[in-house]
Amino acid sequence: MQNLIHPTAIIDPKAELDSSVEVGPFTTIGAGVCVDAGTKIAGHVMIEGPTVIGKHNEIFQFSSLGAKPQDKKFKDEPTLLEIGDHNTIREFCTFNRGTVQDKGTTKIGSHNWIMAYVHIAHDCIVGNHTIMANNSSLAGHVTIYDHAILGGFTLVHQFCQIGEHIITAVGSVVFKDIPPYVTAAGYDAQPHGINAEGLKRRGFSAEAIQQIKRAYKVLYRQGLSFEEAKLALAEMEKSCPEIGLMTRFLAQTTRGIVR
């Protein structure tokens, strides 16, 4: 449906766009870009390939997606940016492709709300149903798990992992992993309880939230060593499956957790 593509847009013949994709004025879409059904791309957007974009995304003006990674080791290898379905990507966002030093792919899941000026660097993995507020930025190789919320101007150091259902305060600088459910704030970010309000909104029972609060105290308030806390949480998981997110996360952290 050619009328959905503005006549001033530049679409490389080697790009593949579903017939229902809308493209605004002065947008440039390069070779190796694939865009699936129902996605809307505003004007003045630059998308470089190889990039794969799923269904029903809305990409606002002045974003740059799929550019080369900001990594001096990059030698024009054919790496990838992959974006899922139903994402909102606001103005001036920059998402870079991966590097061969990692999996070669920067991957964004589905149903994410990504606000203006967000930067997602090479080899990051962003899950589903996350919110990244204005000017939050991820260095390379960062993993963001489902339902995480990054407050505005949150900066995340390379190789950090951000657990499910967390929230960071405005201006947080994250140098360590944030376990699931935790509220973190500061420079460098420190734990400040659990994201209880977010858990209520997502349908967690009052009993489960109370157990998660207990688990937080075990991890941070009882003076246990890290290994002792992991054993205690594994025992709690037997009666509260929701704590399994914490035990699995703590078992595979490599940078240590916020303290």
Side-chain angles (χ1 to χ4, degrees):
M1 296 177 66
Q2 191 65 30
N3 62 326
L4 296 180
I5 298 177
H6 195 276
T8 62
I10 300 173
I11 313 295
D12 191 283
K14 294 182 180 179
E16 299 180 15
L17 277 62
D18 184 86
S19 62
S20 62
V21 171
E22 298 181 26
V23 181
F26 303 106
T27 281
T28 300
I29 299 178
V33 175
C34 299
V35 187
D36 210 336
T39 287
K40 298 179 180 180
I41 303 169
H44 297 278
V45 173
M46 171 69 79
I47 307 178
E48 302 175 53
T51 291
V52 176
I53 300 174
K55 298 177 180 178
H56 301 291
N57 297 285
E58 187 169 10
I59 301 168
F60 283 72
Q61 55 269 25
F62 305 110
S63 289
S64 172
L65 308 179
K68 294 179 181 180
Q70 298 178 105
D71 188 323
K72 289 184 177 180
K73 299 186 296 299
F74 185 72
K75 304 298 181 184
D76 286 317
E77 298 93 346
T79 57
L80 178 67
L81 169 66
E82 182 179 332
I83 299 173
D85 305 326
H86 296 281
N87 295 291
T88 297
I89 300 169
R90 295 297 309 225
E91 300 84 354
F92 295 98
C93 287
T94 54
F95 302 172
N96 295 159
R97 302 198 311 273
T99 65
V100 295
Q101 285 75 31
D102 200 336
K103 296 181 177 63
T105 301
T106 301
K107 186 172 183 178
I108 317 297
S110 298
H111 298 280
N112 297 293
W113 183 263
I114 301 173
M115 299 186 197
Y117 292 95
V118 166
H119 176 65
I120 299 177
H122 60 86
D123 303 293
C124 288
I125 299 174
V126 177
N128 306 307
H129 299 282
T130 70
I131 297 173
M132 300 178 65
N134 297 335
N135 292 94
S136 54
S137 293
L138 309 182
H141 314 281
V142 168
T143 299
I144 308 288
Y145 289 95
D146 296 353
H147 295 284
I149 300 175
L150 300 185
F153 294 89
T154 293
L155 307 179
V156 183
H157 192 275
Q158 61 184 357
F159 294 103
C160 282
Q161 300 185 65
I162 308 299
E164 292 95 333
H165 304 287
I166 68 94
I167 187 168
T168 65
V170 172
S172 298
V173 181
V174 181
F175 292 103
K176 301 288 185 181
D177 296 347
I178 304 178
Y181 307 122
V182 168
T183 294
Y187 181 170
D188 53 16
Q190 297 179 350
H192 292 272
I194 70 164
N195 181 19
E197 186 59 36
L199 298 182
K200 291 177 187 176
R201 293 178 182 181
R202 292 178 203 123
F204 281 68
S205 68
E207 180 181 356
I209 293 172
Q210 283 301 117
Q211 291 299 314
I212 292 167
K213 287 180 178 179
R214 285 186 58 222
Y216 175 88
K217 292 177 181 178
V218 167
L219 186 58
Y220 285 114
R221 296 289 183 262
Q222 294 185 359
L224 300 177
S225 71
F226 187 58
E227 293 303 319
E228 290 170 337
K230 287 198 294 183
L231 290 173
L233 292 178
E235 190 64 29
M236 293 180 65
E237 182 185 352
K238 295 176 182 178
S239 59
C240 181
E242 289 83 356
I243 294 173
L245 288 182
M246 299 182 78
T247 59
R248 290 187 290 274
F249 185 93
L250 297 175
Q252 51 83 46
T253 182
T254 58
R255 291 187 57 83
I257 62 172
V258 293
R259 290 286 187 180

